[in-house]
Every structure is written in structure tokens, then in C-alpha cells.
Amino acid sequence: MGTYRMMSRTMPDIVVCVKQTVDVYQLKPHPETLAPQLSQAQWKNSDFDLNAVEEAVRIKEKSGGKVVVVSVGPEVKQLLVRECLAMGADEAYILSDPSLAQADGAATAKALAAVIKTASPKWDIILCGEASLDQNAYQTGPRLAEIFNVPHVSYVNKLEVGDRVLKAWRAVEDGVEVVSCSLPAVVTVGLEINTPRLPSLLMIRAAQKKPLKELSLNDVGLTKDDLMPRAETLEVKALKTERRRQVFEGKVEELAEKLAERIIAHMGGRR
Amino acid sequence: MVFPFSSVFDFAVEMKEEYEIFRKSVRAFAEKEIEPLVKEIERTNTIPPALLKKAAEQGYLGLGIPETYDGQGTDMMYSTLFVEEVSRICPAFTVATLVGVLFTYPVMVYGTEEQKRKYLPPIARGEKFAAHATTEPGAGTDVAGIETTAKRKNGGWEINGRKYFISGADKADYFIVLARTSPPPSRKERHKGLSFFIVERGTPGFRVGEKIEVIGIRGSHPCEVILDNVYVPEENMVGEEGQGFKIAMDTYDHGRIGVAAQAVGVAQACLEKALQYSLQRRVFERPLIYFQAVQFHVSEMLTMLEGARLMLYWATTLANKNRPEAVMAASMAKLYATEVAEKAALKAITVHGGVGVATDGMVERFLRDSQVFKIYEGANDIQKLVILRQMMKTAFGMDVD
């Protein structure tokens, strides 16, 4: 397929699903219980999802179309959604409901799909981060594709969108797999696909005028029962790590050798 | 009683969602783009040009310039938050934008439409840089004491003199220069007979001289500027002939908030560094923070810092509303915040111990920077005079000059 055709015609409508998570880099475990201290945590847009927003905006800059941000959660913060609009998305829909606090992958995908069906029923691509910063479950994208019954491409680190078709470079175990599929499709992206832009002052100010709409469960035709998780989280604890505190002494060349041997031994002898 | 203010509403701090989004993006910019270069900036006393280009792309160089002239058309709170967040990492970088304002503000308020259209857009886009040349070897605070002259010649003006400590002069393309255009009518009226001119780099007789090595805000590279029979046409005069002193005072009244913002940014950095160090560093088998002496330092820093920050946001809010009290508030914020920056830097050094005085520790630099804050844009003792005189003027209509 020639580049010319890849770049022609389609002005894709792209939906980006953005999760708001606690900033895990700032999260401290309780010194005794080892439970993460969520009440003091800062919130942010999940890193991978910002890669998805960036990619959507890049596609729009190249091919035209529209970028719609969708965010669901127990208490979606408008300010963080506004940040996605400042990166270049055109409109945003949010669904906040306390029942989403315990949501698993299935419930989250169900809620997102309901919002997408209501707010942006005619879409060409749904972009998600491949996982979220906090749960790291890799569920949302594939489940959305199942709900909409469309192709799903995961772990994408390069993406081209053409006329009713996309071509994706997937990071797999031993290399890169290049695939293509028809649109509509769901794509999940990783951190390597791009570097999310810092919104410029101009974009920040423009974002204030972009539509940001709050929806309720009722608006999207869901009830609290629809969002009941299938699995229950019993406990979350930080790992306790102890350093080995081994000190090697001697000449640098010998030390490197010793250190390498110790690491190999630790890995079960595999080189 | 709220004397000399009129009601409790005069103490409002007004914030908007977009300010916070902007602040966060500036923080990310400062940490990602500027922080890795701070050591180099300190060592070379120079801001890398590539960094300014990146800031221009983000729109940071058009703050305060109206959209008609390719600026961002933003209010004062944007400038305040930009300067505060960047100063938390590298105050010198904000000098590049603040000295630009000392050129663009007088041109915007007193300049002709031709001057605005010619000079503002390239500065707003970050393609050209500007500087403000008032200070001389023999006159700083005493603006009326300048010795640079401008004499009428061939339908224009010929300028002669020497300017000193001109921040950003080494990379500036445009300079706004204060010169005496007529002798003072009397000793009491020394401030009369001064006028501002725009001088472009490359004008014959104009030269940027020695770069002055300074202990603080390294990277702001102040220079000497020499004007030797520099001819400028009549249309380069900014404002009316003899209006120079008034324009200068008005410009500095507006620039002062920027210095308060620098000081708050530095005090914030000092608090964060001191707190971080006191959590990590262990003595007698406990982190430093468990010792009351250290707790006192940190809580005093925090209290002073938030006091200074509230004054800064308050002065900015008043300036946004174009309130006459904004001048006094800006001076109060500058005076207080710069002294807080100095105290916070000293406390940060104390908490850090040996690391605090090591030049590699990146803490002592804040003490050096704070000394510049206290001196430039109206030395702090001058701020005390401004505060009192403005207060007497607004409250009683009394002139105690």
C-alpha cells in the first residue's frame, strides 16, 4: 500500500479514553500496614493515556478529524480533563459515579462504552493507553473492542492511519510485528510511541472554550448494578524490599567481574 | 479596620482553573528542559539560546503582550506564575523574559502605533530580544542622576553615554535607553528633561561592552552598554520629550511583581530542598526532621513562604484589576518576598550543613540569588519609601517626597 493512499481522504473521529489515577510516583506506603496512603495522594492523568491523547492529536494534525476525550471514574477531575483539551483534543465527556471506585476492567470498559455510544457514536478509532498507571491490568482496550465487536491492536509503538484502514507497529517479545486492519478499531499504545507535548499557553487558553460535558449513569443508560465488579480487591500492600548490603573490595577490573558473577548467580545462572 | 485599604474585598486573591493548568505545564517545562542545564548556566553565566527558543514555542515570551501584536494577551497572574515556577528551578531564566517586559511595557503604554507594530511582534514570538538601559556607573536608584545625553541633530537625536548592569544586553536586539534631553530647570526638578529612545543593536556608535561577572542570578549576564555619538531618528523617542522619568517609574512599578515572584519561587525551592534533605539525611540514627531545631527551621520557612506567596498573589490580583493600590502592594510584596528568599536560603543552608555551603550542592546559589533580588528593580530601602509615599498619597492625598 503506497504512502499516498495511506494519507488520503479519511478524516478520522478518534475517541481517547483517559483514566485519572493517583500519582504512583508520589505514593507512600503506610510504614506499618504497608497500605498505600491514598488520601494524601495527588491525582494525574495516567501516563500511557497521555501517549494516546498525543497520538490522537498527531493523527488529527496530519489527517484532520476530531479528537474526543472520555474519562470515567469515581470522581473525575475537570481540571485534568481540561489538560487533555489543552494538548489539542476537541471535546470531552466525563462520567463520575462513586460505584466506579471498585470498578474492574469489565466495569470500566462497560462504562466507557456507554459514554462513547451516547456522546460520540460515530467513531473510527478508539485509542487507549495499553495499561493504567495504578492497576496495570491491560484490560480496558481489549474489552472495549469486544463490546463494539471491532478489531483490536495492542502494544502499538508506531501508528499510521489511512483511508478506512490503519497500520500498526506492535512491540512484541522478540521484535516488532507490523499489522494492519480496517476501521473502526481499538488501539492501545505504550510509552514508546511518542512524547506527550506540554500544552502551550495558546492551547491552554483555547481549551477553556472547548466543550466539556458531565454525564450521569442515567444519561448513558447504566445502573449501579451494571458496574458491579466481578472480582473483589481484598487488600493492597507495598512490597517490602531489603537491600543485600554486600560490599566488594579490590581493583575495579576484578570488582566488575565479581559483581557480574554475583548477578548471574542471582538470576539462576542464566546469561 | 482595613486602613489604608477600603474593605476586606481589597484582600481577595483571584484564581482560575486555566492558571493552574498553565502553572503545571510551566513546572513540567522547568523540570524537564531547564533543570538539567542549571549547572552549566551557573558556570558559564549564560542561558543557552536553544532553551529560549523552546520557551518561545510554548508562548512564554509573549506574556503580557496583547494578541494584536502576536503576544498571548494574558493577564498579570500568568506572568507571576510563570516567573515563580521557573525561578523555583532557575531564576536567571526568568530575567530573559522580565527584562523584555521592561522594554515592551513602556512601548505598549507610551509608544506610537508604528513602534508597537515594529517592535512588539518579533519580541512576542521570541525572534528578537530586548533590554532596558537606564542604570549607569554613577546612577542606579537615583534615576534622575543619569549623565547620558541626547542632543537634537539633523531632525533626530545624538546620544552619548555609558550604561551599566544592563541585564540581557548581550543578546538583546532592541534597547530602550534613558537620556537627558534638557538640563534640569532646578535642583528640585532634577527628574525633568529626561526622555526614552529605542536604539537598535548595530546602530553606528552603539556597542555592548564588558560582561559583568556577578555572584547571583548567574545567567542573567548584565553588561556595559556604550553609546558614542549614536544617531536615532525622531520617531525612536518613546513617549513625549521630558516624560522619561515618569515612564521609568511607571515601568518599575509594574516590573516589581516579577521580582517578588522570583523570590517566592526561590523560597519554595529552599523549602523543598531543606525538607527533602532533612527526611533523607540521618544523624544519631534518625532522619534530621526528628530534631526540633530542624523542625523549627522548616516550619518557619513554610510560614514565611506562604505569607510571601499570598502577598504576591494579592498584589497580582490588584494589578489585574488596575487598582491604584497595586503599586504599594507590589512594593510590599517585593520587599517582603525578597527578604523571605534570603532567610529561606540561609535556613536551607543551615539544614544542609556542609552540603549547604558546597557549590556542588546547588543550595548556596539561592542565597547568592536573593542578594540580587534585594537590590535590583528598586533596592529594598527604596521600596520602603515607595510604600510609605504611595500610602500617604492614596489615603490622604499627601505628598511627602
Side-chain angles (χ1 to χ4, degrees), chain A residues 78-80 82-83 86 198-202 204-205 208, chain B residues 17-18 21-22 24-25 28-29 58-59 63 72-73 78:
Chain A
Q78 290 211 6
L79 187 110
L80 294 176
R82 203 61 86 179
E83 285 179 18
L198 283 178
S200 72
L201 184 44
L202 200 69
I204 291 170
R205 302 192 70 211
Q208 301 305 310
Chain B
E17 192 182 57
E18 57 190 278
I21 297 174
F22 176 67
K24 283 172 76 179
S25 75
F29 179 86
Q58 291 297 113
L63 291 167
Q72 304 286 342
Y78 275 97

Side-chain angles (χ1 to χ4, degrees), chain A residues 81-98:
Chain A
V81 178
R82 203 61 86 179
E83 285 179 18
C84 299
L85 295 174
M87 284 175 71
D90 300 288
E91 51 191 77
Y93 296 90
I94 61 186
L95 171 68
S96 291
D97 193 88

Side-chain angles (χ1 to χ4, degrees), chain B residues 206-255:
Chain B
F206 177 91
R207 188 157 69 79
V208 174
E210 61 161 323
K211 189 161 152 179
I212 303 153
E213 283 301 321
V214 284
I215 61 161
I217 322 195
R218 293 187 51 82
S220 64
H221 31 61
C223 293
E224 179 191 24
V225 166
I226 299 140
L227 300 117
D228 186 9
N229 291 326
V230 173
Y231 175 82
V232 293
E234 184 70 38
E235 68 245 31
N236 278 31
M237 184 182 274
V238 179
E240 285 162 32
E241 187 183 338
Q243 223 189 351
F245 187 83
K246 185 187 154 216
I247 298 175
M249 291 306 120
D250 184 23
T251 303
Y252 305 146
D253 283 347
H254 278 79

Side-chain angles (χ1 to χ4, degrees), chain B residues 204-390:
Chain B
F206 177 91
R207 188 157 69 79
V208 174
E210 61 161 323
K211 189 161 152 179
I212 303 153
E213 283 301 321
V214 284
I215 61 161
I217 322 195
R218 293 187 51 82
S220 64
H221 31 61
C223 293
E224 179 191 24
V225 166
I226 299 140
L227 300 117
D228 186 9
N229 291 326
V230 173
Y231 175 82
V232 293
E234 184 70 38
E235 68 245 31
N236 278 31
M237 184 182 274
V238 179
E240 285 162 32
E241 187 183 338
Q243 223 189 351
F245 187 83
K246 185 187 154 216
I247 298 175
M249 291 306 120
D250 184 23
T251 303
Y252 305 146
D253 283 347
H254 278 79
R256 225 155 266 156
I257 291 182
V259 183
Q262 287 182 316
V264 170
V266 159
Q268 175 74 34
C270 291
L271 171 84
E272 288 177 24
K273 280 183 190 288
L275 184 60
Q276 197 177 15
Y277 188 77
S278 62
L279 285 164
Q280 282 169 357
R281 168 77 172 178
R282 294 175 73 89
V283 281
F284 308 107
E285 293 165 10
R286 307 170 90 182
L288 273 180
I289 194 71
Y290 284 92
F291 294 84
Q292 283 196 348
V294 174
Q295 292 176 356
F296 287 168
H297 280 309
V298 174
S299 62
E300 282 172 26
M301 282 167 92
L302 181 61
T303 307
M304 292 187 302
L305 165 65
E306 304 308 5
R309 172 173 284 125
L310 280 172
M311 284 187 93
L312 169 66
Y313 294 165
W314 165 65
T316 308
T317 303
L318 286 172
N320 264 350
K321 294 180 188 164
N322 273 321
R323 291 281 300 271
E325 297 90 340
V327 175
M328 181 170 49
S331 283
M332 286 159 71
K334 195 261 179 189
L335 171 65
Y336 185 68
T338 56
E339 287 180 359
V340 164
E342 180 184 45
K343 286 181 195 149
L346 280 169
K347 286 188 181 298
I349 289 172
T350 307
V351 170
H352 277 80
V355 177
V357 288
T359 50
D360 239 14
M362 305 303 280
V363 181
E364 53 75 44
R365 68 180 171 118
F366 293 122
L367 181 63
R368 292 187 278 108
D369 293 341
S370 70
Q371 298 313 298
V372 183
F373 298 154
K374 287 170 62 190
I375 292 166
Y376 74 177
E377 288 281 302
N380 279 7
D381 283 340
I382 292 295
Q383 300 306 333
K384 294 175 192 170
L385 301 181
V386 174
I387 293 163
L388 183 103
R389 288 169 189 178
Q390 281 291 328

Side-chain angles (χ1 to χ4, degrees), chain B residues 31 60 76 88 134 143 181 189 226 249-250 313 331 339:
Chain B
E31 290 181 349
Y60 300 156
M76 277 297 292
R88 176 176 161 272
T134 294
V143 170
T181 43
E189 295 171 301
I226 299 140
M249 291 306 120
D250 184 23
Y313 294 165
S331 283
E339 287 180 359

Side-chain angles (χ1 to χ4, degrees), chain B residues 60-82:
Chain B
Y60 300 156
L61 301 182
L63 291 167
I65 298 177
E67 281 151 322
T68 353
Y69 304 109
D70 288 358
Q72 304 286 342
T74 48
D75 60 40
M76 277 297 292
M77 195 61 84
Y78 275 97
S79 309
T80 288
L81 295 171
F82 170 77

Side-chain angles (χ1 to χ4, degrees), chain A residues 36 100 106 132 152 167 258:
Chain A
L100 284 161
S132 62
H152 164 244
K167 188 174 173 188
K258 267 190 199 165

